[in-house]
Amino acid sequence: HERGYEAERSPVQNLARKSGGDHGACPFFQTMSYTLPDLPDGARVALSKAALLEDAFPTQALLADGSAPEALDPLFDLGLLEEAGPVEACVASEGIREAALRGLSWSAKRRLCESLAEACLALGMDSGLVARLYLQAHRHGAARKGFVVAAEQACERNAHREALELMRAAFEIWPEGESPDERRRVLLEMARCARACSDHASAELALAELLETADDATEAAVRIDLQRQLAHVALANGDRTRARGLLREAAELAEASGLAAEAARLWRSLVQALGDALRLKDALAVLEKARTAAKRCQDFALLSDSLAYAAMLTAMLGRIGEANTMLEEALNLAIERDLPDQITNAYRRQANVNEYAANYQAYRDTELAALDRCRTLGEEGGAQACLSCVSYAFFRLGQFDESLAAVKEAVEERGAEGELRAIAVAVRACVHALRGTGSDILIALEEARRQIRLQGALVFEFYLLWAKGAFATLEGQDAVARASFCELIDFWRETDDRKDACPGLLCASSFFAQENDAEQLARCLDILNTIQSSSESTEPPAAFFASSGETAWLEGRSGEAIELLGEAVARYADMKLPFEEAWVLWRLGHVQSQTGKDVDAAASWKRAEAIAQKLSLRPLVRALKRERSEASAVSQTVSPLTPRQLEIVRLIAAGRTNKEAAAELKISPRTVEMHVAALLERLGCRSRAEAAKRVGEMGLLG
């Protein structure tokens, strides 16, 4: 049957199929050189024109370019051309196309392309095809115009990627200095299309050329708009330093040009960029410029917004009372001027202030009320924003199932994008890390962190580093935990943060205490002291007490350690932060167990396990089980001393003086004296010699 089907075709058709079609993947047929049959001159010219056109072309293009219908007959009869539709045709194979163009002189090819281009243009055919034909004819001016027209047509269809490629083709043949006004117009369109398809590099190139070629006489508003657009592109590229610089330049130019309203909006954009980078003090300083400009042009909406944002920044710096005063002023202004959007905004900022005051229940309830309002009014963007905030509030309060449900609605059901999506995904990654659910927890955390950085919501880096470090600590991945916590410490030093690093520093303190790393633990305590001493929030002092307890334990002051850790537990319980409460209870039980307070340790671990089981904190549950198992196997020979105290007492037993021990351990003699006093108290001994003997009897000198 197959042989019969092939026999019905002409030899030219069958060879065409083999040389360029059906067997194109076969090396033998790829190397075959097809030879055209003898053709009348008119038919041969028509075939050459067809070969210069694209895969499928209207036969009318050949006729309009002077080919007679009779010249096409042998091409179809011999299978050199095939029908591709009612009015379209195509060359039967690439082999035939190559043979038709083989031997065609440069000048002949150029003339054919020019004539085809004009025929296609007259027929109103695809402008891109016309431009490419003109390009082959080396009519660069006509080709450029064709590419621009084709690009504009693609833009109208929202085919931005196609439009961008066509504009690139136009610029490749655009002589410097020719038609500058038209070039600027096309560059603006190129930047718009590039941003629409997220080709930020192309957008930046187009905008940078526009800004560079704008002379001093160019209208200030035009230069300002270009700088603003370049800033947005820089933000999209993650170059936040450049974005801030561009926004500042644009705002200063607007001020100098007397464009107060424009300056106010630009200063406000710069404030947002600084706030996202957690450069809070700088943001507040710039916000004063925005408020001044807003007053000058009597933009009361922007003025209310600036006051409300200033309240949030002030709360982030820990000045809760001052923040509430600013919020009241912003709300009163919005009510007085009848600005409903700004009234809503002020209430949203009140939720932020509640968060930074560590009143997470009020924060959650405010965001839930805002979410209900957005759902009722059908405000999709507002609902997405509220869901992201609600998911975070639920997360901090240990309502993990509710948090994941809010993330699902925001991302999967409402299609949140950009920063809102990044925040929701970050919250989900943190929940899975603390619960130990999923096989790729560390990968998910890093991907969430990449998205957070891309969108500029840097505050969530603290939470992702916290979750990663906590998970790694509980799972015994010490290298991962150390790297994560050290990165968190270094990141904090780049910011003005006064709260969001606290959960991570809490867990970091425990890790470094376990690792007997006094230096890193001291860094944690120092940061927490800086935070809590300048903040009115109730969360930093709780973390400071916990870190102080870990420090006391490492230095051998067990009684003080138990007291400090107990205070931290009570404070976290009051704030309704269950994960932190369970974590500190775990560490409190460890200290109690190591100091022989077995009953107290069992009670602390029982409370911690109850919370961990309720929240499905699997890694913490496993850590608690290991701790209890080890404690149950404790014998008289188990060291009641900290790792540092053991090091010192072994050196004492080896005959070292306090000064010699200090030099060997690279610590001060005073620190050695403190450790000696603590270990004597813990062992119930009155002298160094008695302590060395007691430790030897316990089998701890080996």
Side-chain angles (χ1 to χ4, degrees), residues 70-292:
E70 294 76 10
L72 303 184
D73 290 342
L75 302 181
F76 284 99
D77 292 345
L78 291 171
L80 299 171
L81 296 183
E82 292 182 341
E83 290 184 330
V87 294
E88 289 186 319
C90 64
V91 178
S93 74
E94 285 304 311
I96 293 173
R97 185 188 302 276
E98 292 169 8
L101 297 175
R102 192 183 306 130
L104 195 64
S105 69
W106 187 89
S107 59
K109 181 179 178 181
R110 188 188 67 76
R111 284 193 297 272
L112 287 176
C113 286
E114 183 173 14
S115 132
L116 277 170
E118 290 171 355
C120 291
L121 181 62
L123 289 171
M125 289 178 60
D126 176 60
S127 298
L129 171 61
V130 172
R132 287 186 286 275
L133 287 167
Y134 272 130
L135 185 60
Q136 291 187 78
H138 293 267
R139 289 273 306 279
H140 290 168
R144 188 183 74 233
K145 291 178 182 178
F147 283 129
V148 170
V149 170
E152 291 170 344
Q153 292 169 346
C155 280
E156 291 174 2
R157 304 193 309 271
N158 291 323
H160 300 295
R161 180 70 64 184
E162 178 187 346
L164 192 57
E165 293 303 320
L166 289 162
M167 279 185 257
R168 284 197 184 112
F171 283 115
E172 285 177 4
I173 53 173
W174 201 315
E176 186 175 353
E178 185 173 318
S179 305
D181 291 341
E182 174 69 3
R183 184 180 178 90
R184 281 192 290 271
R185 185 186 69 80
V186 178
L187 279 168
L188 276 171
E189 192 66 11
M190 184 178 185
R192 187 183 71 82
C193 287
R195 291 181 64 185
C197 60
S198 299
D199 188 340
H200 305 304
S202 294
E204 183 171 12
L205 284 173
L207 292 167
E209 180 180 335
L210 283 165
L211 190 58
E212 184 180 345
T213 56
D215 54 33
D216 294 337
T218 302
E219 187 180 352
V222 173
R223 297 177 65 87
I224 290 167
D225 184 60
L226 290 172
Q227 288 173 321
R228 179 196 290 107
Q229 289 191 59
L230 270 170
H232 291 160
V233 171
L235 284 172
N237 279 328
D239 190 349
R240 304 195 177 278
T241 301
R242 174 166 164 74
R244 293 194 294 268
L246 286 162
L247 287 171
R248 185 178 292 277
E249 287 178 22
E252 289 172 348
L253 178 56
E255 289 272 17
S257 303
L259 303 172
E262 190 69 23
R265 287 189 290 270
L266 286 163
W267 287 127
R268 179 63 181 84
S269 295
L270 177 57
V271 169
Q272 185 73 46
L274 290 165
D276 288 344
L278 298 179
R279 293 176 54 179
L280 309 178
K281 295 173 184 175
D282 290 344
L284 281 170
V286 173
L287 199 51
E288 280 302 307
K289 296 178 181 291
R291 291 169 63 181
T292 300

Side-chain angles (χ1 to χ4, degrees), residues 520-548:
Q520 293 293 351
L521 177 55
R523 291 179 72 193
C524 294
L525 186 62
D526 180 60
I527 293 172
L528 284 168
N529 183 47
T530 299
I531 292 175
Q532 66 94 26
S533 63
S534 60
S535 174
E536 299 168 24
S537 172
T538 56
E539 186 173 354
F544 177 73
F545 275 113
S547 185
S548 299

